[in-house]
Amino acid sequence: MASSFRRPRSIGRLLVALAVLMAITVTRVDANFQTSDWSLAHATFYGDETASETMGGACGYGNLYSTGYGTATAALSSVLFNEGYGCGGCYEIRCTGATACYAGSPSIVVTGTNLCPPNWAEASDNGGWCNPPRVHFDMSKPAFMQIADWNAGIVPVMYRRVSCPKTGGVRFQFQGNAYWLLVYVLNVGGSGDVCSIDVKGDSTDWISMTHNWGASFQAFANLGGQALSFQLTTCTSQETLILYNVADAGWSVGLTYEGDSNFF
């Protein structure tokens, strides 16, 4: 399903610009997202060159082309997936120490968009690659082919957390109804992950949304007919971003609304 991006409406363009300047607040608990040190892991791939099997993963990002993630993605072992709180995190990965690795050890930055579940029927070092406590990346085949010969099947890699470069604002895909708002959070920059979200209607105080699964959060409240604002806090960098009037009072489920700012 094609997404429709909607920005807040106002009386005039000048009023919108002034409102954005006054309304968007970024509070930094941690100065900036810091790239982590390199660590060892392993990587496999799933699907084929079309990456069609990577669409609609456990994070809830849906069609990864239309939501902007493309094929530079990976399913994360449960240690990294962290019950969905790891969704949206970006990792630089490079193949190392194997003949299948491409010369020069090229790297690729991928986003965690899916869960690689445990396979308890197989040993952790022989088929159960995503069994805890292993750190593992099950990459899309196009991403894997950027760093190694796909015929290898599995390769040792070095990885590190990096900032997610995004264009445009944080996006909110609405599901549910006027009394149960389910929001999928997309296109998050910086550390990319989201630990908590609050929502505020024109007639309500801030309401803490509960984590549903993956990158989705929910609020059981009567929010229909109200312009909605959101406050997000990231997991890794503990940065908070407040976006006012992301969706106007005529918001509808099934649509995606875009804020006017993002994490750096």
Side-chain angles (χ1 to χ4, degrees), residues 195-219:
C195 262
S196 66
I197 300 182
D198 297 327
V199 62
K200 185 183 186 307
D202 288 338
S203 304
T204 73
D205 293 327
W206 286 104
I207 299 169
S208 179
M209 304 184 77
T210 58
H211 183 229
N212 185 286
W213 181 251
S216 67
F217 293 77
Q218 62 191 359

Side-chain angles (χ1 to χ4, degrees), residues 41-128:
H42 285 81
T44 50
F45 67 88
Y46 67 113
D48 58 20
E49 287 85 350
T50 68
S52 59
E53 291 187 30
T54 69
M55 303 296 146
C59 289
Y61 294 143
N63 186 309
L64 300 180
Y65 290 108
S66 61
T67 52
Y69 295 97
T71 61
T73 64
L76 309 176
S77 61
S78 55
V79 173
L80 295 175
F81 188 76
N82 191 23
E83 298 183 340
Y85 289 107
C87 289
C90 294
Y91 298 86
E92 184 178 7
I93 299 175
R94 68 184 186 196
C95 185
T96 182
T99 57
C101 299
Y102 290 147
S105 298
S107 66
I108 184 172
V109 174
V110 299
T111 303
T113 60
N114 202 355
L115 167 67
C116 180
N119 180 8
W120 300 115
E122 303 291 344
S124 295
D125 60 352
N126 186 22

Side-chain angles (χ1 to χ4, degrees), residues 23-25 170 172 206 228-232 241-246 259-262:
I24 296 174
T25 303
V170 178
F172 304 83
W206 286 104
L228 300 183
S229 304
F230 293 93
Q231 176 176 277
L232 300 83
L241 177 66
I242 303 176
L243 297 167
Y244 287 94
N245 300 319
V246 172
D260 293 289
S261 188
N262 210 326

